[in-house]
Amino acid sequence: MTASAPRSADRPVERPDLRPTVPGSVLAVAAGVASVALLIDTPEQWQALLVEVAGIVFVAAGYAAWRRRSRVDGAPAGVVGGLFAVVGASLIATAVAVALTRPPAMIHRLELAPGLVGLAVLLAGLLPVRAGRERTLVTAGTALLFVGVLTSGVVHGATLGTLLLAGLAAVLAWDLGEQAVSLGAQVGRGASTYRAELVHGGGSLAVGVGAFLAALGVDRLGIRELSLTGFTALLVAGLVLVLALRQ
């Protein structure tokens, strides 16, 4: 008599992976980094941003290894992933500390710190570090990116073009992050979503470029300086267009 095959009811049920999709998450973080990079211009600020990016890579790699739950060179993947995550978190904390202490001028510290903290919060939402809080963390992270843009406009007096590009990059980071969360919840993280997310990102980028060109057109009409209120109104208008595109 041969042993009977295990019943399907006895097999462990594999839960679907509904975390945010990888392509959209990568694009969202890249847009967030671009938003911060557009505002900075001192070596100390660049140093802090590069350390932050290295920390993000380490944390993402560690989280992926921990989730894979396989063995890497004989060591448990969870241990390797944990070590990578600790190194990455330390680099991110170092980057924020550098942003708060190294730039000689206070205005350079004030315009950089919110963006670096925002990138860390955005990453926490896209991994995610806590299921069910993805949208909250993505929104909070991109809001901090936007605070960095506004702070740069107030304390540093960045040019209109720089503020618009950095603001639109922050809006793109939010839009791409939201899209990654939505697609992950609908079709799962393992689904092939590259084409859909690239098309969506391209459409959002086109809307942003249109808003940027419209602002430059207004500037050529003789409005040489745009007030903070006007700048905010333009960004809100761009955000409304992006929301309309998502429907």
Side-chain angles (χ1 to χ4, degrees):
M1 178 182 294
T2 58
S4 60
R7 294 178 300 175
S8 59
D10 296 332
R11 298 173 183 170
V13 178
E14 186 175 353
R15 300 178 62 181
D17 188 348
L18 300 180
R19 291 175 294 153
T21 58
V22 174
S25 299
V26 172
L27 291 174
V29 173
V33 171
S35 177
V36 176
L38 285 166
L39 299 173
I40 63 179
D41 50 15
T42 70
E44 293 82 3
Q45 289 177 307
W46 278 110
Q47 182 183 37
L49 178 59
L50 291 176
V51 172
E52 174 102 353
V53 171
I56 289 172
V57 172
F58 268 91
V59 169
Y63 186 79
W66 177 74
R67 291 285 302 188
R68 192 177 301 117
R69 295 180 183 278
S70 60
R71 291 183 174 274
V72 178
D73 293 335
V79 175
V80 176
L83 290 175
F84 269 64
V86 169
V87 172
S90 300
L91 288 173
I92 290 174
T94 301
V96 175
V98 169
L100 292 173
T101 57
R102 290 293 301 279
M106 181 59 70
I107 57 175
H108 293 143
R109 302 176 186 179
L110 293 176
E111 70 177 352
L112 180 59
L116 295 188
V117 176
L119 284 176
V121 176
L122 175 63
L123 177 67
L126 293 172
L127 288 178
V129 296
R130 185 175 181 183
R133 298 291 183 183
E134 295 91 341
R135 295 186 189 280
T136 301
L137 292 171
V138 167
T139 301
T142 50
L144 285 170
L145 291 175
F146 194 76
V147 168
V149 176
L150 292 178
T151 303
S152 183
V154 172
V155 303
H156 192 191
T159 64
L160 169 62
T162 299
L163 289 176
L164 284 172
L165 287 176
L168 290 173
V171 173
L172 278 177
W174 171 81
D175 178 62
L176 293 166
E178 279 283 315
Q179 180 73 355
V181 173
S182 297
L183 277 179
Q186 292 171 8
V187 300
R189 191 183 181 98
S192 179
T193 58
Y194 290 91
R195 177 174 297 180
E197 294 191 81
L198 286 176
V199 170
H200 177 86
S204 298
L205 180 62
V207 173
V209 171
F212 175 74
L213 294 177
L216 291 184
V218 171
D219 184 60
R220 287 182 177 276
L221 292 177
I223 305 174
R224 294 305 175 191
E225 294 185 359
L226 187 66
S227 66
L228 183 60
T229 302
F231 165 70
T232 305
L234 282 174
L235 286 181
V236 170
L239 178 60
V240 171
L241 286 174
V242 171
L243 287 173
L245 189 65
R246 290 171 59 85
Q247 301 302 318

